[in-house]
Amino acid sequence: MPRLALTGPVAALDEWMEGALVPGWELVPCPLIDLFPRSASAEDLEGLREFGEPQLIALTSRHAVGLLVELALAEPGLTQLPSWVVGQRTATALGQAGWKAPLRVEADAAQLTQALLRSDPRPLRVLWPRGDLSDELALALRQSGIRVFDPIAYTNRPRRAVSWPACEWVFFASPSAVDRWLELEGAGAAGALAIGETTLRRLREAARDRFSAIIPLPHPTVAALRSCLLELGRAGSK
């Protein structure tokens, strides 16, 4: 029976473990990073006021919703702004936080970036609360003349005590998990699965020679992971 090490998503690992379990596979939870939310500071609030009223909010993680809510307590008009987000979980969290404007949902950060760059008219100012390790969306928008205010909403920290299991496949849910995996002594697997485009890019850039196969999910969902495992199981039985 092949084993899959599931490194994330760390905030919903139990849900993914349960939803992706299929006959013929053993799933092993192995989170590699921890996420820590950050509260809005006086500097964040002052920076937002100096930035001016955003025309659009971008969210690439539901972990950024908390800081956005705190900003909205000082600037209530934020709840009325168009919001483009990655993933249905982020959209749900934003709706539960009281956002009124329609939401546009994209599958991953790469698709969100391209959608913003293709939008007509383009927004002139975008608010993007983000994690501390990735600023690719902000860089791409700024290079196209779009101003971005991107306060840090949460930080990623590697888990220090990680016992890596013997496994044939490993599932990565973030580029930071890829980086942490590369630091582990004795970590190995024949193949890697990537939740989305940004994680796939990091695997191909940093870990191509460590895996015999790197496969992206067609959609960043539990159902897509389950379908992928079923397909890999059928291929392995032939």
Side-chain angles (χ1 to χ4, degrees):
M1 180 180 293
R3 303 179 89 198
L4 171 73
L6 204 71
T7 70
V10 292
L13 198 57
D14 290 343
E15 175 186 332
W16 281 69
M17 285 285 298
E18 180 179 353
L21 187 61
V22 298
W25 283 86
E26 180 183 356
L27 305 189
V28 183
C30 194
L32 299 179
I33 60 172
D34 288 310
L35 301 180
F36 298 94
R38 177 180 170 274
S39 296
S41 66
E43 289 77 11
D44 294 328
L45 296 171
E46 182 61 28
L48 179 60
R49 295 188 185 100
E50 293 179 358
F51 180 72
E53 183 179 356
Q55 296 176 321
L56 184 143
I57 296 171
L59 285 180
T60 49
S61 171
R62 67 186 182 95
H63 301 291
V65 171
L67 184 131
L68 181 59
V69 168
E70 294 183 16
L71 294 178
L73 291 176
E75 299 291 341
L78 294 178
T79 63
Q80 307 297 324
L81 293 180
S83 300
W84 292 20
V85 307
V86 169
Q88 189 56 51
R89 291 173 65 87
T90 306
T92 299
L94 197 56
Q96 292 173 343
W99 253 245
K100 308 300 182 184
L103 302 178
R104 173 166 174 167
V105 181
E106 298 291 343
D108 57 35
Q111 291 187 28
L112 177 63
T113 302
Q114 292 305 310
L116 285 169
L117 294 177
R118 292 194 302 264
S119 61
D120 186 16
R122 282 186 183 178
L124 299 177
R125 295 181 301 279
V126 172
L127 170 61
W128 177 43
R130 64 177 178 89
D132 64 325
L133 295 184
S134 174
D135 61 354
E136 292 181 354
L137 186 147
L139 290 173
L141 297 186
R142 287 169 180 150
Q143 288 173 356
S144 298
I146 299 173
R147 294 180 60 205
V148 181
F149 180 59
D150 56 341
I152 302 301
Y154 59 93
T155 59
N156 296 261
R157 293 293 179 266
R159 288 197 175 194
R160 292 304 174 189
V162 176
S163 178
W164 188 255
C167 59
E168 287 74 28
W169 290 84
V170 54
F171 176 71
F172 293 102
S174 68
S176 54
V178 176
D179 294 339
R180 176 59 180 140
W181 184 86
L182 289 170
E183 296 174 350
L184 297 178
E185 293 186 7
L193 304 177
I195 194 172
E197 183 62 34
T198 54
T199 302
L200 175 66
R201 188 182 307 122
R202 184 64 59 85
L203 280 166
R204 288 174 172 170
E205 291 173 351
R208 183 186 295 271
D209 61 342
R210 299 284 293 272
F211 298 104
S212 60
I214 299 175
I215 301 174
L217 298 188
H219 308 286
T221 64
V222 177
L225 176 57
R226 180 182 174 86
S227 296
C228 183
L229 295 180
L230 287 171
E231 184 63 30
L232 287 173
R234 285 192 288 267
S237 64
K238 292 179 180 179

